[in-house]
């Protein structure tokens, strides 16, 4: 339950100035801060004004006070609310870590930024009589509603459990090793964990070099904890086992329960009930060549309306997953638990079973499939004039790959594309030219950070790392999908239908200031005070295009951005420069899109599969869960790439490589190899005999005596010293001589002095995590 809004205790809400004739009452900074702390889920500007009965000029004064608090770093914006920096959101995923002196449960947030200055806060769990299911205990993971403590002498946070989340307790993942003296040991995947001893009687048929999951039992005679092998995952000698490490380490559900498989197998193809017959509409799918499921199809035509000269009608059809996944069913519960599909170089962990994702919902070529479609009319300037949603039965007229469709437009048709070039493909590209005008006018954030893709051999070994070409075919599908997502959000807001938005906040004031000071070293200014827009970043990126600083500035601008998330409260999408945006186009692989589909079905009376009142009430919790699942998937995918590259390079210790400095910390440098993209670490203790200053603003390490050092974005030569595939860790030695870095690094107030060897990490290894936000 949300808290009742009230002024700070002991304060009587004053009468308005209009009633008294006096100067308008304004609460003090401390009163406002206290209110924000005590009412985290009701701390918007309007809420604060209402709580203190502020009207007219007093609201203007409140706005000034809030701006001052933000400038001083005392509050930050989260969605439409204000919050104290470092505070927990109103709904969060918690790990229960122990009990207090009275036996009550205490917990910590399951996720906490690694670069956060403060330790994760302790949360005290409130007892609840309405708790459903098994009573949570120590080691459990829960979804909880968070309350800020009102009593300064009491706990900072309390929480009420909403639901228990499946979570493995006391499980350790590691590699079974057989020592020369006959002992068996577990080498944990997580380097911070100590080795474990295994009684030969507890091997459970595991062999040396097997990747295993173990349960820790007790302390052995050598001081090492004893472990019992509970599951054999496979031989770590196979690169295919490396993605399984991430799956287990990040607790990604990858085996469908029997009840879910049974429910999927019983599903029957959708009928024409509540549908329009669009099987004649020339929709086509355009996907990666190796795609197994196809959840979107497109087509376009010139608008015949004389009032819209040069305009186009663009149609996007999306697989109707809601027709098969009923709210509260076993399939639905499992999909919510997974949150999204997870993509590794060697496998996919799908959100839905294959019977649903690759069969009944996949928009297969020349096969009848149910879909939700949106027809969007655009003017010649790219501005959307109108749109309508339809629940349809469609039939994909062709299955195309991105290179195949692009080649046809470029003049190289094949047996499939030649017959549809003039009737389907050319109208699509003509419509894209119109939509692109709208995109260019909108000016979304245009970062130039090409993504690398690992290609594997049939045996699962790393073949090569490539940067796939960015084709107009990719951009066409991307822009069609963006516009469909916008249309979904606009329709649901207009219908006042609750939904989950995809939101992306503007950079925080603290990150803006760090970016501003960094750009100043390049003689580039960033306006202060004015509300930032994406085009201001684009002007900066354009200024350094083609220069030595291009990649450096792109990386720093990326790191200044907030992280996108799911939220039932809309604040718009900063990066795309859109006010209304919701994920609608990938319901096969994202639960957020399935929720939006159900919301559209309910709002537009398109059938019986709409969102339920229970789901509407649970949207904050669902948004928190799927946001956590998304970050979990990103971390698992990143860790697997690191392990694959470390495995590939394990036989090249001593070799030299060219790379680019991708991260600068007080402990040392992270270097991304130019060929592979994977990060390795260079401890500060190996850089030389100088003392080093770390400057967060300039992203640099500089020798105190020489003034020379290294900076984010520098191209350097390194030697590989050690590679640990299981940990995904690479350690390098710097071969490039240091160079002069910005002079401000030695006098800047954030520069910190570190002696040689004072910032060693255990083993001096990298475990990824230095890449920018997705």
């Amino acid at each position: 339950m949300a808290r009742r809004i009230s002024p700070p205790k002991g304060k009587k809400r004053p009468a308005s100035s209009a009633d008294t004739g006096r100067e308008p009452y304004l609460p003090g900074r401390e009163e406002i801060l206290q209110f924000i702390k005590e009412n985290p889920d009701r701390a918007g500007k309007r809420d604060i004004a209402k709580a203190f009965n502020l009207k007219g000029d007093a609201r203007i004064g409140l706005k000034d006070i809030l701006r001052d608090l933000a400038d001083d770093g005392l509050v930050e914006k989260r969605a439409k609310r204000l919050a104290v920096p470092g505070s927990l959101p109103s709904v969060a995923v918690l790990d229960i870590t122990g009990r207090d002196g009275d036996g009550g449960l205490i917990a910590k947030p399951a996720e906490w930024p690694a670069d956060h200055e403060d330790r994760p806060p302790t949360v005290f769990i409130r007892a609840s009589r309405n708790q459903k299911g098994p009573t949570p205990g120590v080691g459990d993971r829960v979804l909880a509603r968070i309350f800020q403590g009102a009593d300064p002498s009491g706990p900072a946070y309390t929480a009420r459990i909403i639901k228990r989340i499946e979570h493995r307790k006391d499980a350790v993942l590691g590699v079974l090793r057989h020592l020369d003296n006959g002992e068996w040991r577990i080498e944990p995947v997580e380097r911070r964990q100590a080795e474990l001893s295994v009684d030969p009687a507890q091997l459970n048929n595991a062999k040396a070099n097997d990747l295993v999951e173990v349960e820790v039992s007790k302390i052995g005679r050598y001081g090492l904890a004893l472990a019992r092998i509970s599951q054999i995952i496979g031989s770590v000698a196979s690169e295919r086992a490396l993605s399984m490490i991430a799956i287990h380490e990040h607790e990604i559900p990858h085996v469908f329960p029997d009840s879910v498989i049974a429910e999927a197998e019983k599903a029957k193809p959708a009928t024409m009930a509540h549908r329009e017959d669009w099987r004649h509409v020339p929709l086509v799918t355009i996907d990666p060549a190796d795609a197994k499921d196809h959840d979107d199809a497109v087509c376009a035509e010139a608008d015949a309306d004389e009032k819209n000269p040069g305009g186009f009608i663009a149609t996007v059809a999306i697989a109707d997953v809601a027709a098969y996944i009923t709210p509260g069913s076993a399939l639905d519960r499992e999909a919510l638990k997974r949150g999204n599909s997870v993509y590794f170089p060697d496998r996919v962990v799908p959100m839905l079973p294959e019977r649903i994702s690759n069969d009944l919902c996949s928009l297969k070529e020349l096969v009848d499939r149910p879909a939700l479609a949106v027809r969007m009319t655009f003017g010649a300037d790219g501005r959307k004039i109108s749109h309508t949603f339809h629940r349809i039965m469609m039939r994909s007229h062709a299955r195309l790959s991105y290179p195949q469709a692009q080649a046809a437009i470029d003049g190289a048709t094949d047996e499939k594309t030649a017959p549809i070039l003039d009737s389907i493909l050319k109208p699509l590209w003509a419509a894209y030219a119109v939509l692109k005008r709208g995109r260019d006018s909108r000016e979304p954030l245009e970062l130039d950070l090409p993504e690398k893709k690992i290609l594997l051999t049939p045996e699962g070994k790393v073949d090569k790392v490539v940067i796939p070409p960015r084709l107009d075919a990719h951009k066409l599908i991307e822009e069609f999908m963006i516009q469909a997502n916008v249309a979904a959000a606009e329709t649901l807001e207009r219908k006042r239908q609750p939904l989950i938005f995809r939101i992306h906040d503007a950079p925080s004031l603290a990150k803006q200031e760090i970016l501003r000071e960094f750009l100043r070293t390049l003689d580039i200014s960033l306006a202060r005070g004015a509300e930032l827009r994406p085009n201001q970043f684009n002007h900066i990126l354009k200024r350094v295009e083609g220069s030595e600083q291009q990649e450096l500035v792109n990386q720093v601008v990326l790191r200044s951005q907030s992280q996108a998330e799911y939220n039932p409260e809309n604040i718009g999408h900063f990066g795309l420069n859109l006010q209304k945006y919701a994920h609608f186009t990938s319901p096969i692989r994202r639960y957020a899109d399935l929720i939006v589909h159900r919301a559209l079905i309910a709002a537009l009376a398109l059938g019986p599969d709409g969102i339920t009142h229970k789901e509407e009430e649970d949207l904050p919790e669902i948004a928190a869960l799927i946001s956590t699942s998304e970050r979990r998937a990103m971390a698992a995918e990143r860790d697997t790439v690191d392990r694959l590259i470390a495995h590939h390079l394990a036989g090249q210790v001593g070799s030299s490589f060219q790379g680019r400095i991708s991260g600068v910390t007080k402990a040392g440098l992270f270097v991304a190899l130019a060929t592979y993209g994977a990060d390795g670490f260079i401890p500060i203790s190996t850089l030389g005999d100088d003392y080093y200053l770390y400057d967060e603003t300039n992203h640099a390490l500089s020798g105190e005596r020489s003034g020379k050092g290294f900076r984010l974005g520098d191209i350097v030569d390194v030697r590989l010293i050690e590679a640990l595939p299981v940990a995904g860790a690479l350690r390098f030695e710097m071969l490039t001589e240091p160079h002069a870095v910005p002079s401000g690094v030695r006098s800047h107030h954030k520069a910190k002095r570190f002696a040689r060897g004072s910032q060693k990490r255990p083993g001096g290894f990298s475990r990824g995590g230095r890449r920018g936000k997705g």
Side-chain angles (χ1 to χ4, degrees):
M1 294 290 293
R3 292 187 172 199
R4 182 176 64 85
I5 301 176
S6 61
K9 294 178 181 179
K11 296 286 184 179
K12 183 178 180 181
R13 182 180 284 128
S16 68
S17 57
D19 297 330
T20 64
R22 298 192 296 268
E23 288 294 319
Y25 163 81
L26 274 178
R29 286 163 53 105
E30 292 302 321
E31 290 179 276
I32 294 174
L33 277 174
Q34 186 67 21
F35 176 82
I36 292 172
K37 288 179 181 179
E38 294 179 359
N39 300 275
D41 52 352
R42 291 292 186 273
K45 293 178 182 178
R46 291 183 179 179
D47 297 321
I48 298 172
K50 183 178 179 180
F52 289 97
N53 197 26
L54 304 181
K55 300 177 181 178
D57 292 344
R59 286 183 175 244
I60 299 175
L62 173 65
K63 186 176 180 181
D64 292 338
I65 293 175
L66 294 176
R67 185 185 298 113
D68 290 342
L69 290 172
D71 289 342
D72 292 343
L74 297 177
V75 298
E76 62 185 15
K77 188 175 71 172
R78 292 183 189 167
K80 293 181 179 180
R81 305 181 188 123
L82 296 168
V84 177
S87 61
L88 294 177
S90 57
V91 176
V93 177
L94 303 176
D95 285 333
I96 299 177
T97 58
R99 295 184 181 274
D100 59 19
D102 299 323
L105 297 173
I106 57 177
K108 293 185 182 299
E111 290 189 345
W112 190 252
D115 57 352
H116 204 287
E117 293 182 2
D118 298 324
R119 293 183 177 182
T122 298
V123 183
F124 290 80
I125 305 293
R126 295 180 180 179
S128 176
R129 295 180 180 177
N130 299 323
Q131 176 64 42
K132 297 179 181 179
T135 302
V138 177
D140 281 336
R141 178 165 290 177
V142 297
L143 182 70
R145 185 166 295 280
I146 308 298
F147 302 94
Q148 188 100 23
D151 184 357
S153 62
Y157 295 99
T158 60
R160 181 173 293 122
I161 294 174
I162 298 171
K163 63 184 293 187
R164 179 175 173 269
I165 303 172
E166 286 192 21
H167 177 55
R168 293 197 315 274
K169 295 185 287 186
D170 302 325
V172 174
L173 197 67
V175 179
L176 180 63
R177 303 293 191 195
H178 193 205
L179 305 186
D180 292 338
N181 62 6
E183 293 181 14
W184 292 87
R185 296 283 177 86
I186 297 296
E187 177 189 326
V189 168
E190 176 53 62
R191 290 185 55 80
R192 289 173 294 184
Q193 292 176 332
E195 272 194 343
L196 303 169
S197 179
V198 182
D199 188 317
Q202 300 292 331
L203 290 177
N204 289 339
N205 298 318
K207 300 183 294 294
N209 296 322
D210 275 352
L211 182 66
V212 296
E213 187 176 273
V214 303
E215 296 175 358
V216 182
S217 54
K218 58 182 180 180
I219 301 298
R221 56 179 174 171
Y222 300 108
L224 296 178
L226 287 175
R228 183 183 69 83
I229 295 175
S230 57
Q231 183 179 2
I232 302 170
I233 296 170
S235 173
V236 77
S238 167
E239 287 177 288
R240 291 189 181 276
L242 298 178
S243 57
M244 286 302 298
I245 296 177
I247 288 171
H248 279 256
E249 185 178 31
H250 293 279
E251 301 186 18
I252 294 173
H254 65 288
V255 177
F256 286 106
D258 292 341
S259 60
V260 174
I261 295 296
E263 196 172 277
E265 293 300 324
K266 289 179 182 178
K268 304 295 182 183
T271 67
M272 287 295 300
H274 307 286
R275 299 185 189 282
E276 301 173 42
D277 189 348
W278 278 29
R279 287 174 288 187
H280 63 285
V281 178
L283 291 155
V284 297
T285 62
I286 305 177
D287 292 296
D290 57 354
K292 293 183 178 180
D293 56 68
H294 309 274
D295 52 11
D296 59 84
V298 295
C299 70
E301 60 182 318
D303 190 0
D305 190 344
E306 295 179 355
K307 297 179 181 180
N308 186 26
F312 269 81
I313 297 174
T315 300
V316 174
I318 305 298
D320 190 356
V321 178
Y324 298 101
I325 312 300
T326 306
S329 64
L331 277 166
D332 184 53
R333 293 194 301 271
E334 183 68 16
L336 175 57
K337 183 170 74 174
R338 295 180 177 224
N340 47 252
S341 297
V342 188
Y343 294 85
F344 299 104
D346 65 326
R347 75 182 75 217
V348 176
V349 179
M351 184 180 79
L352 300 170
E354 187 172 340
R355 166 68 172 158
I356 303 294
S357 60
N358 293 358
D359 186 7
L360 292 177
C361 285
S362 185
L363 305 182
K364 295 184 176 182
E365 186 177 50
L366 303 179
V367 178
D368 292 359
R369 285 290 181 258
L372 272 180
V374 56
R375 285 172 56 89
M376 302 171 286
T377 302
F378 293 88
D381 60 355
R383 180 179 55 85
K384 182 161 65 68
I385 298 173
S386 64
H387 68 264
T388 56
F389 278 91
H390 308 261
R391 204 170 192 191
I392 67 169
M393 185 68 74
M394 62 161 284
R395 182 181 294 167
S396 172
H397 286 222
R399 170 190 172 182
L400 306 175
S401 69
Y402 288 116
Q404 184 181 21
Q406 188 67 54
I409 289 294
D410 294 341
T413 58
D414 57 23
E415 293 182 356
K416 183 175 287 187
T417 57
I420 63 173
L421 177 62
D422 292 328
S423 59
I424 296 178
L425 294 182
K426 285 186 177 179
L428 273 172
W429 257 257
Y432 168 59
V434 168
L435 267 64
K436 188 175 183 300
R437 292 180 199 135
R439 178 185 177 90
D440 292 344
S441 176
R442 192 176 79 240
E443 292 191 89
L445 183 60
E446 301 281 7
L447 287 168
D448 182 19
L449 295 167
E451 293 187 8
K452 291 183 171 65
K453 181 177 181 179
I454 294 181
L455 301 182
L456 303 179
T457 66
E459 295 75 30
K461 297 183 179 297
V462 174
D463 181 19
K464 54 186 174 180
V465 180
V466 300
I467 299 177
R470 179 77 168 151
L471 306 173
D472 280 345
H474 293 102
K475 299 174 184 177
L476 181 154
I477 295 299
E478 179 183 274
E479 193 58 29
F480 272 54
M481 297 306 116
I482 287 173
Q483 292 301 330
N485 289 336
V486 170
E490 289 176 344
T491 292
L492 293 173
E493 272 209 337
R494 187 170 64 248
K495 291 288 186 178
R496 300 185 182 278
Q497 169 63 54
L499 72 148
I500 291 178
F501 293 92
R502 180 65 168 180
I503 65 170
H504 181 223
D505 209 347
S508 67
L509 289 172
K511 289 186 176 181
Q512 286 183 37
E513 188 60 28
I514 292 173
L515 175 62
R516 186 176 292 110
E517 294 181 7
F518 161 75
L519 292 173
R520 190 180 296 125
T521 68
L522 301 178
D523 294 324
I524 299 174
S525 61
L526 179 65
R528 187 192 304 270
E531 186 173 337
L532 285 179
R533 304 305 307 164
N535 65 348
Q536 292 173 267
F537 291 107
N538 291 338
H539 293 158
I540 292 169
L541 299 174
K542 192 72 175 177
R543 181 169 172 179
V544 298
E545 187 175 352
S547 70
E548 294 181 357
Q549 291 84 23
Q550 178 176 344
E551 185 163 343
L552 167 63
V553 175
N554 271 268
Q555 286 284 355
V556 176
V557 169
L558 174 65
R559 295 176 188 211
S560 72
Q561 302 303 306
S562 301
Q563 189 171 42
E565 63 177 280
Y566 295 107
N567 201 305
E569 291 193 36
N570 184 31
I571 62 167
H573 196 293
F574 177 82
L576 293 175
N577 200 13
L578 293 167
Q579 291 303 311
K580 298 177 178 65
Y581 194 68
H583 274 167
F584 159 74
T585 55
S586 296
I588 290 177
R589 63 184 179 90
R590 292 188 306 225
Y591 194 83
D593 303 55
L594 176 56
I595 288 291
V596 170
H597 275 231
R598 289 173 177 166
L600 285 166
I601 292 168
L604 301 175
L606 297 177
D609 311 314
I611 193 170
T612 64
H613 292 302
K614 178 69 165 60
E615 283 182 294
E616 291 177 348
E617 293 174 353
D618 292 344
L619 286 183
E621 291 81 6
I622 293 173
L625 282 173
I626 60 179
S627 293
T628 299
S629 298
E630 179 186 44
R631 290 189 286 271
R632 175 183 68 185
M634 292 170 60
E637 292 166 0
R638 183 174 60 239
D639 288 352
T640 298
V641 169
D642 289 340
R643 290 188 175 102
L644 281 168
I645 297 302
H647 192 285
H648 183 61
L649 296 178
Q652 300 186 48
V653 171
S655 299
S656 299
F657 302 90
Q658 187 178 81
R660 186 183 292 272
I661 295 178
S662 58
V664 181
T665 74
K666 59 187 178 183
L669 304 171
F670 289 87
V671 176
L673 299 186
T675 306
Y676 302 104
D679 285 337
F681 188 64
I682 303 178
I684 197 172
S685 60
T686 66
L687 289 178
D689 295 328
D690 208 342
Y691 288 93
Y692 283 87
L693 296 169
Y694 165 61
D695 183 12
E696 181 182 8
T697 297
N698 290 293
H699 302 273
L701 286 178
S702 175
E704 186 179 46
R705 295 191 298 270
S706 67
K708 295 181 178 181
F710 302 94
R711 193 181 194 191
L712 182 71
D714 286 349
I715 295 176
V716 294
D717 293 320
V718 297
R719 179 181 291 115
L720 180 61
I721 300 301
E722 195 166 6
L724 294 180
V726 173
L730 301 173
R731 183 161 60 90
F732 296 134
E733 176 186 28
M734 179 66 76
L735 300 179
T736 298
E737 292 296 320
H739 62 89
V741 294
S743 58
V745 72
R746 292 205 278 174
S747 59
H748 193 277
H749 69 280
K750 289 188 178 179
K752 298 178 182 179
R753 184 173 184 265
F754 296 103
R756 179 178 183 270
S758 64
Q759 295 295 309
K760 290 184 179 179
R761 288 186 172 194
F765 282 99
S766 157
R767 262 304 302 274
R770 295 303 306 168
R771 301 190 183 118
K773 298 180 178 68

